[in-house]
Amino acid sequence: MKRSIREFEARDIDLMINYFLNADHEFLRGMGVEPSKLPNSDKWRQILLEDFERPVEHRRLYYVIWEIDDTPVGHSNLNKIIYGQEAFMHLHLWQPEKRRSGNGTYFINESISCYFTKFHLQNLFCEPYALNPAPNITLPKAGFELVKTYETTPGFINFNQTVNRWILTK
């Protein structure tokens, strides 16, 4: 099995969008996503394509694709990017059969290296839903430290929830 990550390309947009739009609503809520808040595919595609045009120092979003044997199986992305300072990471292994087998830890570590290098970060944050066990088990394995647990609406596709704020410092 060959695992790798690569920069997200325009051809990957529909794979990522379909992961969310075709997902079971219970699964989405289990990771803190409110299905009714998801944008339609055209709007989401437009947001991503517009951001692709920005120089890296001005990107609002940045994605990497996770692959096993050259087949996309998930993605990670950054938002709330302050170039040279900090960003917030998100993690999505699309295929259930690829979970719970060490793939998440491998892909997170590879993504972290990419993010720190590409954006010259000092701090990388991740704020998963506190009731979503997978990221909360995997993040400390990648060196993240728990900073706090608090209630917030973490993003435009989320409901108000309790999150764990994890940090990894350069």
Side-chain angles (χ1 to χ4, degrees), residues 48-102:
L48 294 172
L49 288 172
E50 286 175 4
D51 202 59
F52 278 169
E53 300 299 317
R54 292 185 176 91
V56 70
E57 299 85 5
H58 300 290
R59 297 284 298 269
R60 293 185 200 149
L61 303 165
Y62 182 77
Y63 287 74
V64 294
I65 287 288
W66 296 343
E67 293 182 329
I68 295 178
D69 297 327
D70 301 317
T71 300
V73 296
H75 76 277
S76 176
N77 69 286
L78 294 180
N79 67 353
K80 303 178 187 175
I81 302 166
I82 302 174
Y83 186 85
Q85 295 179 39
E86 65 186 37
F88 285 72
M89 178 176 70
H90 304 269
L91 317 161
H92 298 279
L93 198 48
W94 302 335
Q95 301 172 355
E97 67 275 10
K98 303 296 184 198
R99 299 179 189 137
R100 298 181 187 187
S101 57

Short mmCIF file of all heavy atoms in Angstrom, two decimals, residues 48-102:
data_model
loop_
_atom_site.label_atom_id
_atom_site.label_comp_id
_atom_site.label_asym_id
_atom_site.label_seq_id
_atom_site.Cartn_x
_atom_site.Cartn_y
_atom_site.Cartn_z
N LEU A 48 -14.04 27.82 -3.92
CA LEU A 48 -12.73 27.19 -4.03
C LEU A 48 -11.94 27.70 -5.23
O LEU A 48 -10.74 27.99 -5.11
CB LEU A 48 -12.88 25.67 -4.09
CG LEU A 48 -13.42 25.02 -2.82
CD1 LEU A 48 -13.70 23.55 -3.06
CD2 LEU A 48 -12.48 25.20 -1.66
N LEU A 49 -12.59 27.80 -6.36
CA LEU A 49 -11.88 28.27 -7.56
C LEU A 49 -11.38 29.70 -7.40
O LEU A 49 -10.27 30.02 -7.83
CB LEU A 49 -12.79 28.14 -8.79
CG LEU A 49 -13.02 26.71 -9.27
CD1 LEU A 49 -14.08 26.69 -10.37
CD2 LEU A 49 -11.73 26.07 -9.76
N GLU A 50 -12.18 30.56 -6.77
CA GLU A 50 -11.74 31.94 -6.54
C GLU A 50 -10.52 31.96 -5.62
O GLU A 50 -9.59 32.73 -5.84
CB GLU A 50 -12.88 32.77 -5.94
CG GLU A 50 -13.95 33.13 -6.93
CD GLU A 50 -15.14 33.85 -6.29
OE1 GLU A 50 -15.10 34.15 -5.07
OE2 GLU A 50 -16.11 34.10 -7.03
N ASP A 51 -10.51 31.12 -4.61
CA ASP A 51 -9.39 31.11 -3.67
C ASP A 51 -8.13 30.54 -4.32
O ASP A 51 -7.02 30.97 -4.00
CB ASP A 51 -9.75 30.34 -2.40
CG ASP A 51 -8.88 30.74 -1.23
OD1 ASP A 51 -8.87 31.93 -0.88
OD2 ASP A 51 -8.18 29.87 -0.70
N PHE A 52 -8.27 29.58 -5.24
CA PHE A 52 -7.12 29.02 -5.96
C PHE A 52 -6.33 30.10 -6.69
O PHE A 52 -5.13 29.96 -6.91
CB PHE A 52 -7.58 28.00 -7.02
CG PHE A 52 -7.86 26.63 -6.50
CD1 PHE A 52 -8.49 25.70 -7.32
CD2 PHE A 52 -7.52 26.22 -5.22
CE1 PHE A 52 -8.77 24.42 -6.87
CE2 PHE A 52 -7.79 24.95 -4.77
CZ PHE A 52 -8.43 24.05 -5.59
N GLU A 53 -7.00 31.17 -7.08
CA GLU A 53 -6.37 32.24 -7.87
C GLU A 53 -5.47 33.14 -7.02
O GLU A 53 -4.65 33.86 -7.55
CB GLU A 53 -7.44 33.09 -8.56
CG GLU A 53 -8.33 32.31 -9.51
CD GLU A 53 -7.55 31.66 -10.65
OE1 GLU A 53 -6.66 32.33 -11.21
OE2 GLU A 53 -7.83 30.49 -10.96
N ARG A 54 -5.65 33.11 -5.71
CA ARG A 54 -4.87 33.99 -4.83
C ARG A 54 -3.45 33.46 -4.65
O ARG A 54 -3.24 32.25 -4.58
CB ARG A 54 -5.53 34.08 -3.47
CG ARG A 54 -6.86 34.80 -3.47
CD ARG A 54 -7.37 34.95 -2.03
NE ARG A 54 -8.59 35.73 -2.02
CZ ARG A 54 -9.81 35.19 -2.11
NH1 ARG A 54 -9.97 33.89 -2.21
NH2 ARG A 54 -10.87 35.98 -2.10
N PRO A 55 -2.48 34.36 -4.48
CA PRO A 55 -1.13 33.91 -4.10
C PRO A 55 -1.21 33.23 -2.73
O PRO A 55 -2.07 33.55 -1.91
CB PRO A 55 -0.32 35.21 -4.02
CG PRO A 55 -1.18 36.29 -4.55
CD PRO A 55 -2.59 35.80 -4.61
N VAL A 56 -0.30 32.30 -2.48
CA VAL A 56 -0.34 31.51 -1.25
C VAL A 56 -0.40 32.40 0.00
O VAL A 56 -1.08 32.08 0.97
CB VAL A 56 0.83 30.50 -1.19
CG1 VAL A 56 2.16 31.19 -0.99
CG2 VAL A 56 0.59 29.47 -0.11
N GLU A 57 0.28 33.54 -0.03
CA GLU A 57 0.30 34.42 1.14
C GLU A 57 -1.07 35.02 1.45
O GLU A 57 -1.30 35.55 2.54
CB GLU A 57 1.30 35.57 0.95
CG GLU A 57 2.73 35.13 0.75
CD GLU A 57 3.06 34.77 -0.70
OE1 GLU A 57 2.20 34.94 -1.61
OE2 GLU A 57 4.17 34.29 -0.92
N HIS A 58 -1.99 34.95 0.49
CA HIS A 58 -3.32 35.57 0.66
C HIS A 58 -4.46 34.56 0.60
O HIS A 58 -5.62 34.96 0.58
CB HIS A 58 -3.53 36.65 -0.40
CG HIS A 58 -2.52 37.73 -0.33
ND1 HIS A 58 -2.47 38.65 0.69
CD2 HIS A 58 -1.47 38.04 -1.14
CE1 HIS A 58 -1.45 39.48 0.50
NE2 HIS A 58 -0.83 39.12 -0.61
N ARG A 59 -4.11 33.29 0.63
CA ARG A 59 -5.15 32.26 0.57
C ARG A 59 -5.97 32.25 1.84
O ARG A 59 -5.45 32.43 2.95
CB ARG A 59 -4.51 30.87 0.37
CG ARG A 59 -3.74 30.67 -0.92
CD ARG A 59 -4.61 30.47 -2.13
NE ARG A 59 -5.46 29.31 -2.10
CZ ARG A 59 -5.14 28.11 -2.58
NH1 ARG A 59 -3.95 27.91 -3.12
NH2 ARG A 59 -6.00 27.12 -2.52
N ARG A 60 -7.26 32.04 1.68
CA ARG A 60 -8.16 31.88 2.82
C ARG A 60 -8.32 30.40 3.17
O ARG A 60 -8.66 30.05 4.29
CB ARG A 60 -9.54 32.45 2.49
CG ARG A 60 -9.53 33.94 2.33
CD ARG A 60 -10.94 34.44 2.12
NE ARG A 60 -10.88 35.76 1.50
CZ ARG A 60 -11.77 36.24 0.67
NH1 ARG A 60 -12.82 35.50 0.35
NH2 ARG A 60 -11.65 37.42 0.15
N LEU A 61 -8.10 29.56 2.14
CA LEU A 61 -8.26 28.12 2.26
C LEU A 61 -7.08 27.44 1.58
O LEU A 61 -6.51 27.99 0.64
CB LEU A 61 -9.54 27.66 1.55
CG LEU A 61 -10.84 28.30 1.99
CD1 LEU A 61 -11.93 28.03 0.96
CD2 LEU A 61 -11.25 27.79 3.36
N TYR A 62 -6.74 26.27 2.04
CA TYR A 62 -5.72 25.48 1.37
C TYR A 62 -6.02 24.02 1.64
O TYR A 62 -6.31 23.63 2.78
CB TYR A 62 -4.32 25.83 1.89
CG TYR A 62 -3.23 25.08 1.18
CD1 TYR A 62 -2.81 25.46 -0.09
CD2 TYR A 62 -2.64 23.97 1.77
CE1 TYR A 62 -1.82 24.74 -0.75
CE2 TYR A 62 -1.66 23.25 1.11
CZ TYR A 62 -1.26 23.65 -0.15
OH TYR A 62 -0.28 22.95 -0.80
N TYR A 63 -5.99 23.21 0.59
CA TYR A 63 -6.35 21.80 0.69
C TYR A 63 -5.22 20.91 0.20
O TYR A 63 -4.50 21.26 -0.74
CB TYR A 63 -7.56 21.50 -0.21
CG TYR A 63 -8.87 22.03 0.30
CD1 TYR A 63 -9.18 23.39 0.22
CD2 TYR A 63 -9.84 21.17 0.83
CE1 TYR A 63 -10.40 23.87 0.67
CE2 TYR A 63 -11.06 21.65 1.27
CZ TYR A 63 -11.33 23.00 1.19
OH TYR A 63 -12.54 23.48 1.63
N VAL A 64 -5.12 19.74 0.82
CA VAL A 64 -4.29 18.66 0.30
C VAL A 64 -5.18 17.42 0.16
O VAL A 64 -6.15 17.26 0.90
CB VAL A 64 -3.06 18.33 1.17
CG1 VAL A 64 -2.07 19.49 1.18
CG2 VAL A 64 -3.45 17.93 2.58
N ILE A 65 -4.83 16.60 -0.81
CA ILE A 65 -5.55 15.34 -1.04
C ILE A 65 -4.72 14.21 -0.44
O ILE A 65 -3.49 14.18 -0.58
CB ILE A 65 -5.76 15.11 -2.56
CG1 ILE A 65 -6.83 16.06 -3.09
CG2 ILE A 65 -6.13 13.66 -2.87
CD1 ILE A 65 -8.25 15.72 -2.65
N TRP A 66 -5.40 13.29 0.20
CA TRP A 66 -4.77 12.09 0.74
C TRP A 66 -5.04 10.94 -0.22
O TRP A 66 -6.18 10.72 -0.64
CB TRP A 66 -5.36 11.75 2.10
CG TRP A 66 -5.12 12.78 3.17
CD1 TRP A 66 -4.21 13.79 3.17
CD2 TRP A 66 -5.80 12.87 4.42
NE1 TRP A 66 -4.28 14.50 4.34
CE2 TRP A 66 -5.25 13.96 5.13
CE3 TRP A 66 -6.82 12.14 5.01
CZ2 TRP A 66 -5.69 14.32 6.40
CZ3 TRP A 66 -7.26 12.51 6.27
CH2 TRP A 66 -6.69 13.59 6.97
N GLU A 67 -3.99 10.21 -0.59
CA GLU A 67 -4.14 9.12 -1.55
C GLU A 67 -3.55 7.81 -1.02
O GLU A 67 -2.55 7.82 -0.31
CB GLU A 67 -3.43 9.46 -2.86
CG GLU A 67 -4.06 10.61 -3.62
CD GLU A 67 -3.37 10.90 -4.94
OE1 GLU A 67 -2.14 10.69 -5.05
OE2 GLU A 67 -4.07 11.33 -5.86
N ILE A 68 -4.21 6.74 -1.38
CA ILE A 68 -3.69 5.39 -1.17
C ILE A 68 -3.64 4.74 -2.55
O ILE A 68 -4.66 4.70 -3.25
CB ILE A 68 -4.55 4.57 -0.19
CG1 ILE A 68 -4.51 5.21 1.20
CG2 ILE A 68 -4.07 3.11 -0.14
CD1 ILE A 68 -5.36 4.52 2.24
N ASP A 69 -2.46 4.27 -2.93
CA ASP A 69 -2.25 3.67 -4.25
C ASP A 69 -2.78 4.58 -5.36
O ASP A 69 -3.49 4.14 -6.27
CB ASP A 69 -2.90 2.28 -4.31
CG ASP A 69 -2.25 1.30 -3.34
OD1 ASP A 69 -1.02 1.43 -3.10
OD2 ASP A 69 -2.96 0.43 -2.82
N ASP A 70 -2.44 5.87 -5.25
CA ASP A 70 -2.78 6.89 -6.24
C ASP A 70 -4.28 7.16 -6.38
O ASP A 70 -4.71 7.79 -7.35
CB ASP A 70 -2.18 6.56 -7.61
CG ASP A 70 -0.66 6.45 -7.56
OD1 ASP A 70 -0.04 7.32 -6.90
OD2 ASP A 70 -0.11 5.51 -8.15
N THR A 71 -5.07 6.71 -5.43
CA THR A 71 -6.51 6.97 -5.43
C THR A 71 -6.86 7.88 -4.27
O THR A 71 -6.52 7.57 -3.12
CB THR A 71 -7.29 5.63 -5.29
OG1 THR A 71 -6.94 4.79 -6.38
CG2 THR A 71 -8.79 5.88 -5.29
N PRO A 72 -7.55 9.01 -4.52
CA PRO A 72 -7.93 9.90 -3.43
C PRO A 72 -8.86 9.21 -2.43
O PRO A 72 -9.85 8.57 -2.83
CB PRO A 72 -8.66 11.05 -4.15
CG PRO A 72 -8.13 11.02 -5.54
CD PRO A 72 -7.90 9.56 -5.83
N VAL A 73 -8.51 9.33 -1.14
CA VAL A 73 -9.31 8.71 -0.08
C VAL A 73 -9.70 9.71 1.00
O VAL A 73 -10.39 9.36 1.95
CB VAL A 73 -8.57 7.51 0.56
CG1 VAL A 73 -8.36 6.40 -0.45
CG2 VAL A 73 -7.26 7.94 1.20
N GLY A 74 -9.25 10.97 0.86
CA GLY A 74 -9.59 11.97 1.86
C GLY A 74 -8.88 13.27 1.58
O GLY A 74 -8.19 13.42 0.58
N HIS A 75 -9.09 14.21 2.49
CA HIS A 75 -8.42 15.49 2.34
C HIS A 75 -8.23 16.13 3.71
O HIS A 75 -8.86 15.76 4.69
CB HIS A 75 -9.23 16.44 1.44
CG HIS A 75 -10.42 17.06 2.10
ND1 HIS A 75 -11.64 16.42 2.19
CD2 HIS A 75 -10.59 18.26 2.70
CE1 HIS A 75 -12.50 17.20 2.82
NE2 HIS A 75 -11.89 18.33 3.15
N SER A 76 -7.34 17.09 3.73
CA SER A 76 -7.17 17.97 4.87
C SER A 76 -7.17 19.38 4.32
O SER A 76 -6.80 19.60 3.16
CB SER A 76 -5.85 17.68 5.59
OG SER A 76 -5.64 18.61 6.64
N ASN A 77 -7.62 20.31 5.11
CA ASN A 77 -7.57 21.69 4.65
C ASN A 77 -7.28 22.63 5.80
O ASN A 77 -7.43 22.29 6.97
CB ASN A 77 -8.86 22.09 3.92
CG ASN A 77 -10.06 22.19 4.82
OD1 ASN A 77 -10.60 21.17 5.26
ND2 ASN A 77 -10.50 23.40 5.10
N LEU A 78 -6.85 23.80 5.41
CA LEU A 78 -6.63 24.90 6.35
C LEU A 78 -7.65 25.99 6.08
O LEU A 78 -8.04 26.22 4.94
CB LEU A 78 -5.24 25.53 6.15
CG LEU A 78 -4.01 24.70 6.45
CD1 LEU A 78 -2.76 25.52 6.17
CD2 LEU A 78 -4.01 24.20 7.89
N ASN A 79 -8.01 26.68 7.14
CA ASN A 79 -8.74 27.95 7.01
C ASN A 79 -8.25 28.85 8.14
O ASN A 79 -7.33 28.50 8.86
CB ASN A 79 -10.26 27.75 7.01
CG ASN A 79 -10.83 27.26 8.32
OD1 ASN A 79 -10.13 26.93 9.26
ND2 ASN A 79 -12.14 27.19 8.39
N LYS A 80 -8.81 30.04 8.21
CA LYS A 80 -8.37 31.03 9.21
C LYS A 80 -6.84 31.17 9.16
O LYS A 80 -6.17 31.20 10.19
CB LYS A 80 -8.84 30.66 10.62
CG LYS A 80 -10.34 30.49 10.74
CD LYS A 80 -10.73 30.06 12.14
CE LYS A 80 -12.20 29.72 12.23
NZ LYS A 80 -12.58 29.21 13.54
N ILE A 81 -6.33 31.25 7.94
CA ILE A 81 -4.88 31.30 7.73
C ILE A 81 -4.35 32.71 7.94
O ILE A 81 -4.85 33.65 7.33
CB ILE A 81 -4.53 30.85 6.29
CG1 ILE A 81 -5.05 29.43 6.02
CG2 ILE A 81 -3.03 30.93 6.04
CD1 ILE A 81 -5.05 29.03 4.55
N ILE A 82 -3.37 32.84 8.79
CA ILE A 82 -2.60 34.08 8.93
C ILE A 82 -1.18 33.69 8.56
O ILE A 82 -0.46 33.07 9.36
CB ILE A 82 -2.67 34.67 10.34
CG1 ILE A 82 -4.13 34.93 10.74
CG2 ILE A 82 -1.84 35.95 10.42
CD1 ILE A 82 -4.32 35.37 12.19
N TYR A 83 -0.81 34.01 7.32
CA TYR A 83 0.47 33.57 6.76
C TYR A 83 1.62 33.96 7.70
O TYR A 83 1.70 35.08 8.18
CB TYR A 83 0.67 34.20 5.37
CG TYR A 83 1.89 33.69 4.65
CD1 TYR A 83 1.83 32.53 3.90
CD2 TYR A 83 3.10 34.36 4.74
CE1 TYR A 83 2.94 32.05 3.23
CE2 TYR A 83 4.23 33.88 4.09
CZ TYR A 83 4.14 32.72 3.33
OH TYR A 83 5.25 32.24 2.70
N GLY A 84 2.51 33.01 7.94
CA GLY A 84 3.66 33.24 8.81
C GLY A 84 3.34 33.13 10.29
O GLY A 84 4.24 33.25 11.12
N GLN A 85 2.06 32.89 10.62
CA GLN A 85 1.67 32.82 12.02
C GLN A 85 0.90 31.55 12.37
O GLN A 85 1.43 30.68 13.06
CB GLN A 85 0.85 34.05 12.40
CG GLN A 85 1.63 35.34 12.33
CD GLN A 85 0.76 36.53 12.68
OE1 GLN A 85 -0.07 36.47 13.57
NE2 GLN A 85 0.94 37.62 11.95
N GLU A 86 -0.35 31.46 11.89
CA GLU A 86 -1.19 30.36 12.34
C GLU A 86 -2.25 30.00 11.31
O GLU A 86 -2.53 30.79 10.40
CB GLU A 86 -1.86 30.69 13.67
CG GLU A 86 -2.86 31.84 13.57
CD GLU A 86 -3.41 32.26 14.91
OE1 GLU A 86 -2.65 32.25 15.90
OE2 GLU A 86 -4.61 32.60 14.96
N ALA A 87 -2.84 28.82 11.50
CA ALA A 87 -3.95 28.36 10.67
C ALA A 87 -4.69 27.28 11.45
O ALA A 87 -4.17 26.74 12.43
CB ALA A 87 -3.45 27.83 9.34
N PHE A 88 -5.90 26.96 10.98
CA PHE A 88 -6.72 25.93 11.58
C PHE A 88 -6.88 24.79 10.58
O PHE A 88 -7.22 25.01 9.41
CB PHE A 88 -8.09 26.48 11.97
CG PHE A 88 -8.06 27.32 13.21
CD1 PHE A 88 -7.48 28.59 13.20
CD2 PHE A 88 -8.59 26.84 14.40
CE1 PHE A 88 -7.44 29.37 14.35
CE2 PHE A 88 -8.55 27.61 15.55
CZ PHE A 88 -7.96 28.88 15.53
N MET A 89 -6.62 23.57 11.04
CA MET A 89 -6.61 22.38 10.19
C MET A 89 -7.89 21.58 10.37
O MET A 89 -8.42 21.45 11.47
CB MET A 89 -5.40 21.52 10.58
CG MET A 89 -5.28 20.23 9.83
SD MET A 89 -3.77 19.31 10.27
CE MET A 89 -4.16 18.77 11.93
N HIS A 90 -8.34 20.99 9.26
CA HIS A 90 -9.50 20.09 9.24
C HIS A 90 -9.08 18.78 8.58
O HIS A 90 -8.23 18.79 7.69
CB HIS A 90 -10.66 20.74 8.48
CG HIS A 90 -11.03 22.06 9.05
ND1 HIS A 90 -11.97 22.21 10.04
CD2 HIS A 90 -10.54 23.30 8.81
CE1 HIS A 90 -12.05 23.49 10.38
NE2 HIS A 90 -11.19 24.17 9.64
N LEU A 91 -9.72 17.68 8.98
CA LEU A 91 -9.29 16.34 8.57
C LEU A 91 -10.49 15.50 8.15
O LEU A 91 -11.46 15.41 8.89
CB LEU A 91 -8.62 15.64 9.76
CG LEU A 91 -7.66 16.48 10.59
CD1 LEU A 91 -7.43 15.86 11.95
CD2 LEU A 91 -6.36 16.64 9.82
N HIS A 92 -10.39 14.87 6.98
CA HIS A 92 -11.52 14.07 6.49
C HIS A 92 -11.03 12.86 5.71
O HIS A 92 -10.53 12.99 4.59
CB HIS A 92 -12.44 14.92 5.60
CG HIS A 92 -13.03 16.06 6.32
ND1 HIS A 92 -14.14 15.93 7.14
CD2 HIS A 92 -12.67 17.36 6.39
CE1 HIS A 92 -14.43 17.11 7.67
NE2 HIS A 92 -13.55 17.99 7.23
N LEU A 93 -11.17 11.71 6.30
CA LEU A 93 -10.88 10.45 5.61
C LEU A 93 -12.23 9.97 5.07
O LEU A 93 -13.12 9.59 5.83
CB LEU A 93 -10.26 9.45 6.59
CG LEU A 93 -9.51 8.27 6.03
CD1 LEU A 93 -8.52 8.66 4.93
CD2 LEU A 93 -8.78 7.54 7.14
N TRP A 94 -12.40 10.03 3.75
CA TRP A 94 -13.69 9.84 3.11
C TRP A 94 -14.24 8.43 3.21
O TRP A 94 -15.45 8.24 3.28
CB TRP A 94 -13.60 10.20 1.63
CG TRP A 94 -13.16 11.58 1.31
CD1 TRP A 94 -13.25 12.69 2.11
CD2 TRP A 94 -12.54 12.03 0.12
NE1 TRP A 94 -12.73 13.79 1.48
CE2 TRP A 94 -12.29 13.40 0.24
CE3 TRP A 94 -12.17 11.39 -1.07
CZ2 TRP A 94 -11.69 14.15 -0.76
CZ3 TRP A 94 -11.58 12.14 -2.06
CH2 TRP A 94 -11.34 13.50 -1.92
N GLN A 95 -13.39 7.45 3.15
CA GLN A 95 -13.84 6.07 3.04
C GLN A 95 -13.77 5.36 4.40
O GLN A 95 -12.68 5.20 4.95
CB GLN A 95 -13.00 5.33 2.00
CG GLN A 95 -13.09 5.96 0.63
CD GLN A 95 -12.11 5.34 -0.35
OE1 GLN A 95 -11.30 4.48 -0.01
NE2 GLN A 95 -12.19 5.77 -1.60
N PRO A 96 -14.91 4.92 4.91
CA PRO A 96 -14.93 4.28 6.24
C PRO A 96 -13.96 3.12 6.37
O PRO A 96 -13.35 2.93 7.42
CB PRO A 96 -16.38 3.80 6.38
CG PRO A 96 -17.16 4.65 5.45
CD PRO A 96 -16.24 5.01 4.32
N GLU A 97 -13.77 2.35 5.30
CA GLU A 97 -12.88 1.19 5.39
C GLU A 97 -11.41 1.58 5.49
O GLU A 97 -10.57 0.74 5.81
CB GLU A 97 -13.10 0.24 4.19
CG GLU A 97 -12.70 0.81 2.85
CD GLU A 97 -13.77 1.66 2.15
OE1 GLU A 97 -14.81 1.98 2.78
OE2 GLU A 97 -13.57 1.99 0.99
N LYS A 98 -11.09 2.84 5.25
CA LYS A 98 -9.71 3.32 5.36
C LYS A 98 -9.42 3.90 6.76
O LYS A 98 -8.30 4.26 7.06
CB LYS A 98 -9.41 4.39 4.31
CG LYS A 98 -9.65 3.96 2.88
CD LYS A 98 -8.73 2.85 2.46
CE LYS A 98 -8.94 2.52 0.99
NZ LYS A 98 -8.43 1.25 0.61
N ARG A 99 -10.46 3.98 7.59
CA ARG A 99 -10.31 4.53 8.93
C ARG A 99 -9.86 3.43 9.90
O ARG A 99 -9.98 2.25 9.62
CB ARG A 99 -11.64 5.14 9.40
CG ARG A 99 -12.10 6.28 8.52
CD ARG A 99 -13.44 6.85 8.97
NE ARG A 99 -13.92 7.78 7.95
CZ ARG A 99 -15.16 7.85 7.53
NH1 ARG A 99 -16.09 7.07 8.05
NH2 ARG A 99 -15.49 8.72 6.59
N ARG A 100 -9.36 3.85 11.05
CA ARG A 100 -8.97 2.94 12.13
C ARG A 100 -7.89 1.95 11.71
O ARG A 100 -7.89 0.80 12.17
CB ARG A 100 -10.18 2.21 12.69
CG ARG A 100 -11.19 3.14 13.29
CD ARG A 100 -12.35 2.40 13.85
NE ARG A 100 -13.37 3.36 14.27
CZ ARG A 100 -14.44 3.06 14.92
NH1 ARG A 100 -14.67 1.81 15.25
NH2 ARG A 100 -15.30 3.99 15.25
N SER A 101 -7.00 2.40 10.84
CA SER A 101 -5.93 1.49 10.39
C SER A 101 -4.59 2.20 10.30
O SER A 101 -3.69 1.72 9.62
CB SER A 101 -6.31 0.90 9.02
OG SER A 101 -6.52 1.93 8.08
N GLY A 102 -4.48 3.36 10.99
CA GLY A 102 -3.22 4.10 10.97
C GLY A 102 -3.11 5.10 9.85
O GLY A 102 -2.17 5.90 9.83
#
